Amino acid sequence: MAIKDLHEHPFDEGTITKLEIFESYAKEWLPTFVMSCPNKELWIFDFFSGPGRDVIGVAGSPIRLLQQVKEQSGNIFNQKCKIHLCLNEYEKSKYDAMHSCCEDFIKDEKELTRLNNHYLFLHYCNCDFAELFPKTISIIAAHPSLVFFDQNGMKFLADKYLLDLEKLSQTDFLYFLSSSYFVRFGKTRAFQTNLSIDISKIRENPYKYVHKSILEQLKCRLPEYSDLKLYPFTIKKGANIYGIIFGAKHPRAVDKFLKTAWDKNNINGEANFDIDDDLGKVQLSLFDGKLPNKIERFQNELQEKLIQGVLQTNKDVYDFTLECGHVSAHASDKIKQMKKEGLINYSERSPLVNYEQVYKKNRIITFQIIKK
Ligand SMILES: C[S@@+](CC[C@H](N)C(=O)[O-])C[C@H]1O[C@@H](n2cnc3c(N)ncnc32)[C@H](O)[C@@H]1O
């Protein structure tokens, strides 16, 4: 199966979307840990780094990571954090290009030059991921870590990797997946030995949902009581469907990923296109009455669960919001509206449905149902 080498051409729109999501997440992750872990080591792994830039000089993942380290240089100095950046690329020519591209970038950016070898440590590797990963897993496990798996295809999402990641408690990861290759090649032995996915189940849904369907099957492979949460972001490029899978155990990490995803697409927060035809639903409302869009469907379900008493506190609501792949604002807006309509009441000025109030300050309030 031939997979196009994305470094032979300028990055296309889908690749840029992927890289922007990776970078936006790193932008959220770095200050969170730098500020909360003074004097500690933080590790970032980019296991499939590529050459550093595309053929017209647009930054790839390693340069974007360095850019984010640069943005945080003041905080890194103040907090005395040690940032370790492990950049791996298997193909020798790309590895060489990546190495000199990163070194040039560090030389040109005075904040990075000052950090380098004191608070910033670059670990360049020219290895096959399959060999490198088992050697790094103990480091990933021992420190707060952010891991990018920007692979070609999908084979490094096999159980042996995913289930290792499942065991870690302070690791956030982003996988890239060529999801539509499953539909085309998933029955071949090469695919099935790497990752056994039930193609017939995937085919039960429209093609555009292939990435989400794969994710649903991956979730079933996790141990029954796993705290690991997985979220999809589907990327359509021409006729092909790709996607990101985000994984983390901590609600703060999930919260930050969902904000990144909804910032990318405020219609559905899970694709670079209108995957559920929500825009069509607005059109339809002019003629046939209103069909609820994704946010409204979530808000309707939230209202029902509050009225039925299934969700009672701001923590219940916040956890449910993340579970459904939404951001706090979608829940808060609905609860405020319910208060205005006299359906619900609460003791504080706002519903306190956010990470800060629920998990950091532990401020838990119970919603009183006034009208059923
Ligand atoms: C999708 S590209 C990554 C793009 C990169 N993140 C960027 O921003 O340019 C996948 C990269 O992984 C490399 N690669 C392929 N197989 C690999 C393996 N087994 N181990 C490590 N790198 C590999 C490829 O040469 C390619 O550069």
Side-chain angles (χ1 to χ4, degrees), residues 3-7 11 15 18-19 22 46-54 58-64 88-92 94 126-132 148-153 155-156 176:
I3 291 183
K4 197 180 103 182
D5 185 337
L6 73 94
H7 299 112
F11 291 149
T15 299
K18 167 188 74 177
L19 291 172
F22 280 9
D46 184 3
F47 280 116
F48 304 85
S49 290
R53 295 186 186 276
D54 74 358
V58 175
S61 51
I63 296 297
R64 286 167 192 261
N88 178 57
E89 168 56 45
Y90 182 52
E91 229 178 82
K92 182 70 168 78
K94 289 188 187 181
N126 179 207
C127 303
D128 179 354
F129 168 78
E131 285 171 22
L132 182 62
F148 289 173
F149 300 95
D150 193 3
Q151 61 182 333
N152 288 328
K155 76 174 178 185
F156 295 119
F176 183 66

Side-chain angles (χ1 to χ4, degrees), residues 261-325:
W262 281 94
D263 276 352
K264 241 311 140 245
N265 187 338
N266 62 13
I267 297 165
N268 56 48
E270 59 165 309
N272 71 338
F273 64 105
D274 182 13
I275 191 165
D276 293 328
D277 299 322
D278 282 321
L279 292 175
K281 284 164 195 157
V282 177
Q283 296 275 312
L284 204 69
S285 68
L286 297 173
F287 307 103
D288 301 321
K290 180 108 174 70
L291 282 174
N293 62 28
K294 179 170 169 170
I295 298 176
E296 291 161 342
R297 282 198 306 277
F298 161 73
Q299 290 177 330
N300 292 344
E301 198 184 342
L302 173 64
Q303 171 160 338
E304 220 169 288
K305 287 202 171 351
L306 279 163
I307 286 179
Q308 287 165 358
V310 179
L311 304 174
Q312 296 181 348
T313 66
N314 58 332
K315 179 176 184 304
D316 296 341
V317 172
Y318 180 68
D319 291 344
F320 174 70
T321 304
L322 298 190
E323 191 74 38
C324 296

Side-chain angles (χ1 to χ4, degrees), residues 61-308:
S61 51
I63 296 297
R64 286 167 192 261
L65 283 170
L66 283 170
Q67 179 65 35
Q68 291 313 316
V69 172
K70 181 191 139 191
E71 305 288 326
Q72 284 303 312
S73 57
N75 288 332
I76 293 169
F77 270 116
N78 291 339
Q79 296 289 96
K80 300 186 167 43
C81 277
K82 295 203 158 92
I83 311 294
H84 291 265
L85 196 50
C86 174
L87 302 172
N88 178 57
E89 168 56 45
Y90 182 52
E91 229 178 82
K92 182 70 168 78
S93 58
K94 289 188 187 181
Y95 167 82
D96 290 340
M98 181 267 288
H99 186 282
S100 53
C101 187
C102 291
E103 289 298 303
D104 288 350
F105 189 75
I106 292 169
K107 235 185 280 155
D108 288 347
E109 301 290 347
K110 67 175 187 313
E111 294 93 336
L112 291 178
T113 312
R114 281 178 65 215
L115 283 179
N116 204 17
N117 297 323
H118 300 286
Y119 293 110
L120 172 64
F121 301 89
L122 273 290
H123 307 267
Y124 296 104
C125 307
N126 179 207
C127 303
D128 179 354
F129 168 78
E131 285 171 22
L132 182 62
F133 186 68
K135 293 179 192 159
T136 51
I137 191 80
S138 59
I139 302 174
I140 300 177
H143 305 282
S145 306
L146 171 62
V147 189
F148 289 173
F149 300 95
D150 193 3
Q151 61 182 333
N152 288 328
M154 38 34 84
K155 76 174 178 185
F156 295 119
L157 194 50
D159 279 1
K160 63 176 167 177
Y161 305 111
L162 184 67
L163 297 182
D164 268 356
L165 292 169
E166 194 283 327
K167 295 189 189 97
L168 308 175
S169 58
Q170 37 180 4
T171 305
D172 302 357
F173 61 85
L174 290 123
Y175 258 101
F176 183 66
L177 211 61
S178 308
S179 309
S180 46
Y181 284 85
F182 271 107
V183 178
R184 284 155 65 190
F185 304 106
K187 281 200 169 136
T188 61
R189 232 170 71 94
F191 262 72
Q192 287 297 323
T193 46
N194 283 315
L195 188 53
S196 71
I197 290 280
D198 185 344
I199 307 292
S200 54
K201 262 198 193 150
I202 289 177
R203 290 208 168 115
E204 282 168 12
N205 296 311
Y207 173 69
K208 64 183 176 177
Y209 292 121
V210 54
H211 183 65
K212 271 180 94 165
S213 311
I214 291 169
L215 183 96
E216 288 313 312
Q217 292 197 35
L218 291 173
K219 281 185 182 168
C220 299
R221 306 256 276 276
L222 300 177
E224 197 180 354
Y225 297 106
S226 175
D227 289 330
L228 180 64
K229 309 287 182 209
L230 299 175
Y231 292 85
F233 192 93
T234 298
I235 296 173
K236 192 165 181 259
K237 289 198 214 182
N240 290 323
I241 299 285
Y242 300 80
I244 290 171
I245 288 176
F246 170 79
K249 285 192 175 167
H250 202 286
R252 180 178 54 198
V254 170
D255 189 301
K256 288 189 181 304
F257 176 73
L258 291 172
K259 280 197 183 115
T260 303
W262 281 94
D263 276 352
K264 241 311 140 245
N265 187 338
N266 62 13
I267 297 165
N268 56 48
E270 59 165 309
N272 71 338
F273 64 105
D274 182 13
I275 191 165
D276 293 328
D277 299 322
D278 282 321
L279 292 175
K281 284 164 195 157
V282 177
Q283 296 275 312
L284 204 69
S285 68
L286 297 173
F287 307 103
D288 301 321
K290 180 108 174 70
L291 282 174
N293 62 28
K294 179 170 169 170
I295 298 176
E296 291 161 342
R297 282 198 306 277
F298 161 73
Q299 290 177 330
N300 292 344
E301 198 184 342
L302 173 64
Q303 171 160 338
E304 220 169 288
K305 287 202 171 351
L306 279 163
I307 286 179
Q308 287 165 358

